[in-house]
Every structure is written in structure tokens, then in C-alpha cells.
Amino acid sequence: MIKTPLCDLLGIEYPIFQGGMAWISDGKLAAAVSNGGGLGIISAMNADAAHLKQEIDIARSLTDKPFGVNIMLMSPFADQVAQLAAEERVAVVTTGAGNPGKYMALWREAGVRVIPVVASVSMAKLVARAGAAAVIAEGGESGGHVGDLTTMVLVPQVCDAVDLPVLAAGGIGDGRGIAAAFQLGAVGVQVGTRFLVAEECGVHPNYKQKVLKANDIATMVTGKRLGHPVRQIKNPFAREYQKAEYSTMSDEELEKLGSGALYRAAVLGDEKTGDFLAGQIAGMVDREQPAAEIIREMFAQAEAVLKEADKWVR
Ligand code: TUI
């Protein structure tokens, strides 16, 4: 059995979070992950508080276990979903794509544990000072909005910099990845891409197929010019966007080209004009499984790997 301080902190069986994936991580998926012993997370994405409330109600109707809400700080609705998360007293708020500082007091006063995603040591220190309960150190192997550093170099440096439980994210797709993250000092992991193909995940079947068929070099990063790099599966949309980035197209036009692309992938399954965000471990994902089975399988493998961890020590 694997138990870490994160399990005690949150009252969960396995130290694993399901990543908050916009247009994908809804109340149903979050409940399935929480029922499987991890921490399911609902993505507040770019939607308003009414949408988030609906998904929280769905999750509560499907599980008695704790779950979290992910707030994308670049969302135009960040203020109202931040307020709702406090009013609903969800167990955990995770944040992404920015500095959560201005909401920390609101959440903490409501008894919500705040666990920001950070992509650098400086942001980890900043949120630690502001009262984070833990941090998620996310490397650029992950899908969606990414930082510059890899998980391998980010996680140990964040562990050294803050006196908080650290979860590793980015590039973790099986039990070997969990074991490796623990060796870097993490006491938990966050996984997105592998849960994308969970049976309870309602993303469009074309999206699942793209992840299942992906190989090791199937993803690419675009969006650096506008200051928010995003990792996605290579397809006509991603290649066209990349070409446009290196053209004389204005920033406004480029922004327009990207808008709605994730919706077209996740909801419509449009292979040509959709943006299929996924991490580099997509190449290791080859089976649709129930969320609980994904969790059990990953931790059984992690346990076997960690038991053998001293095999080269003489
Ligand atoms: O946020 C994510 N992943 C995401 S957000 C998203 S929606 C989106 N769509 C189009 C463009 C941009 C976003 C899709 N995937 N992961 C967590 C994460 N946070 N990764 C990196 C960061 C991060 C980056 C900078 C956290 C803090 C940060 O601080 C910057 C600053 O100094 O404010």
C-alpha cells in the first residue's frame, strides 16, 4: 500500500489528482476519480459560475468523497467562479495559468485548501507565503498551457524551495512515473491525459481515439508568440496555427484563429479545426478503462517499482 502525507491531508486513499481539463473535466469524471480513491477535479474553465454550480451539484449527487475545482486564472469569469468555490466550500481549489494571490484569503477563510499549479520555483515560493496547502509542480511534458521547465528538473527544485507537500504533474502516465516523481521528492501526482480516456470521461470519442493512437512525438507546442504556450496533438489546426504564428498575421487575428478550438475538439470532435490538448505521455496510453481501474493499476505498478528501488544499491 502507498500512503503519503497528501492522503492524510485530504482524506483520500491514493495520492493522485485528476487534472482540471477545460471542456473535459466535469462533475461526472471528477466523481468517478474520487470514488476510485483519488481526488477528482472539476474544471471551471472559461465558463460562468452557473455552469460550475451545475457540475458541483452533479459531482455531489454521484459521490460523498472529497473533490476539487480547478480555476483557470486567465478566464474572464475567474472572479465569479472563485467566489462560488468559496461559497460551496469545495474541499480543494487548484489554480492554473497565473498567480492566485488575490483569491487566497477568500478561499482560506472558507476552509478551502488551495493547491496552485506552478511552473517555476518563484511562483511556488509566492503561493507558499500566501498560504497554499500544497503545490502542484507541472512540467512542460503536460498537455495544455505549459511552462518552460521539465518535470524532472522542476519537481526537485520546488521540493527544496518550499516546506509543503508537492505533487508532480506533466509526463506521468503509469506507475513508473509515480515512482519517479516520489524519488524526486513529490508526495503525490496529478494526471490529466490518462484520465482523458477513462470510461467515465465524456469527451468526444474522436478525442479519445487521437490520444489512443498518439505516439511519443505526436504532440507539439504552439502559442509562444502570444505568451501562453499550449501543448496539443499535431493535426491540421496545430500546424496551421504554428504557420500563422511565424507569419505577419496580427496578434488579434492569431487570437481569433485559436478561439473555440478546444470546444471544437472536445465537444464536436472536429479533427481538422479542433485543438486536441494532450501531454507527451499520450504515446503510452493505449486503453480505455474505468477511472478506478486506472488508479489501482498505476499504484500497483508504482508499489512494485518502489519495492525494487534499491536493486542497484551495493
Ligand atoms: O493551466 C494549465 N493548463 C491549461 S489552462 C488551459 S486553457 C488555455 N487555453 C488557451 C490558452 C491558454 C490557456 C489549458 N491548459 N496548467 C497549469 C499551469 N499553470 N501550467 C503552467 C502554469 C503557470 C504558468 C505561469 C502557473 C503560473 C504562472 O505564473 C505566471 C505569472 O507569473 O503570473
Side-chain angles (χ1 to χ4, degrees), residues 162-247:
V162 299
D163 194 16
L164 287 175
V166 174
L167 292 90
I172 299 168
D174 67 10
R176 292 170 299 181
I178 296 174
F182 285 7
Q183 302 294 36
L184 296 175
V187 293
V189 295
Q190 175 165 278
V191 171
T193 302
R194 184 146 179 203
F195 284 121
L196 239 160
V197 300
E199 278 175 11
E200 299 88 345
C201 177
V203 74
H204 195 283
N206 292 351
Y207 205 133
K208 290 191 179 181
Q209 279 308 313
K210 280 201 121 50
V211 172
L212 293 170
K213 284 194 190 137
N215 66 9
D216 56 339
I217 55 168
T219 72
M220 65 191 280
V221 174
T222 61
K224 284 198 175 151
R225 191 176 116 192
L226 295 182
H228 39 78
V230 167
R231 181 177 298 285
Q232 67 237 268
I233 295 179
K234 292 172 188 166
N235 75 340
F237 169 82
R239 291 200 183 87
E240 193 196 331
Y241 191 92
Q242 186 174 54
K243 223 185 270 168
E245 260 189 296
Y246 291 99
S247 76

Side-chain angles (χ1 to χ4, degrees), residues 1 4 17 53 68 76 120-121 125 143 163 171 184 196 204 206-208 231-232 235 244 249 271 273 282 308 310-311:
M1 195 171 55
T4 74
F17 288 11
K53 171 73 174 131
S120 67
V121 166
K125 285 182 171 166
D163 194 16
L184 296 175
L196 239 160
H204 195 283
N206 292 351
Y207 205 133
K208 290 191 179 181
R231 181 177 298 285
Q232 67 237 268
N235 75 340
M249 185 183 278
E271 314 238 15
T273 71
E308 291 279 304
D310 65 355
K311 68 183 169 190

Side-chain angles (χ1 to χ4, degrees), residues 20-23 43 45-46 70-75 95-100 116-120 122-124 126-127 136-140 142-148 169 190 222-223 227-231 241 255 258 262 275 277:
M21 300 171 279
W23 290 108
S43 170
M45 54 183 199
N46 272 324
N70 173 254
I71 296 185
M72 218 277 282
L73 296 163
M74 282 164 45
S75 164
T95 63
N99 176 359
V117 175
V118 300
S120 67
S122 60
M123 187 58 67
L126 199 143
V127 300
I136 304 168
E138 186 187 271
S142 70
H145 182 59
V146 289
D148 278 335
Q190 175 165 278
T222 61
H228 39 78
V230 167
R231 181 177 298 285
Y241 191 92
E255 197 88 58
L262 181 52
D275 193 8
L277 307 188

Side-chain angles (χ1 to χ4, degrees), residues 21 23 42 61 77-78 82 89 102 120 154 171 185 205 212 220 225 253 256 258 265 303:
M21 300 171 279
W23 290 108
I42 297 168
S61 74
F77 299 103
R89 298 181 189 279
K102 73 171 180 174
S120 67
L154 179 65
L212 293 170
M220 65 191 280
R225 191 176 116 192
E253 265 184 283
K256 230 175 24 201
E303 194 170 321

